[in-house]
Amino acid sequence: MRTDSIEDRAGVAAVELAGRLGWRHVRLADVAEEADTDLGGLRAVARDKTDLLRHFLAGMDRDVLSEDSGFTAEDSVRDRLFDLLMRRFDALAPYKDGVRAVMADVVRDPFTVVRLAPDGPASLAWYLEAAGVGTDGPAGMVRAHGLAAVWLAALRVWVRDESPDLAPTMKALDQALARAEQAAGWLSGVRGGRRRGDPNDRQAPADWTDQPDPAAPPPGEGVSAEG
């Protein structure tokens, strides 16, 4: 992730420190030192540790959504979202230990969960827009919350996935997208867009969605701060 600004450096520093110390043990003074600033500089961009997580996620999403990509009219919304969210996992990969540590501690902190809860759907709304799906109004809000549930289902698999090709994560993501598509049909109605020209683009095997995982939570259940 780019670290051009104090916000970026602080967000990355906080998550990296979480991977080494555990999120509950991360102190703002440590983050400031790691981010090559002081507490005054850190205070100028963050109110507390929760804001540092927001900076981290915003920087990650900025990098993913800024990538040169192109979809065509032939690409379904589901394929576009699968591709975009796998790119999000790729962006998270260098910080996996930290993300795992944050998730482990945040779920035990109801106050932080409540504060971060709206951020997940808000972040995922940008991925819907990148896939050509509108996010305005009540329908857009429902779509964003649905995609946040999809992301959470796949994220729970990703934090335990040590395979080199992330096959379990891809399977979980594809199945969650399939359930969302069947439940609400909110993956239809593409406005058009772009498809990436990368020859290494990943695609979910078609037979993955023929056998949905009964243990995975349905879209809309368990949406939390992990967006």
Side-chain angles (χ1 to χ4, degrees), residues 167-188:
T169 299
M170 289 195 287
K171 179 177 180 180
L173 176 59
D174 188 61
Q175 291 178 338
L177 286 168
R179 286 193 299 274
E181 189 174 36
Q182 294 165 2
W186 52 266
L187 298 185
S188 61

Side-chain angles (χ1 to χ4, degrees), residues 1-3 5-18 23 26 31-32 34-35 42 45-46 49-60 95 102:
M1 192 170 95
R2 299 201 307 267
T3 53
S5 66
I6 294 179
E7 292 95 326
D8 290 341
R9 294 199 304 273
V12 168
V15 173
E16 288 182 336
L17 283 168
W23 179 243
V26 172
V31 174
E34 189 89 355
L42 190 61
V45 300
K49 286 168 58 177
T50 303
D51 273 354
L52 299 177
L53 292 179
R54 291 190 175 107
H55 290 326
F56 174 77
L57 292 172
M60 179 193 64
Y95 313 102
V102 170

Side-chain angles (χ1 to χ4, degrees), residues 63-70 87 194-198:
D63 289 355
V64 173
L65 296 169
S66 296
E67 291 178 0
D68 184 15
S69 59
R87 287 227 171 190
R194 306 173 301 168
R195 178 174 176 79
R196 175 166 37 260
D198 185 349

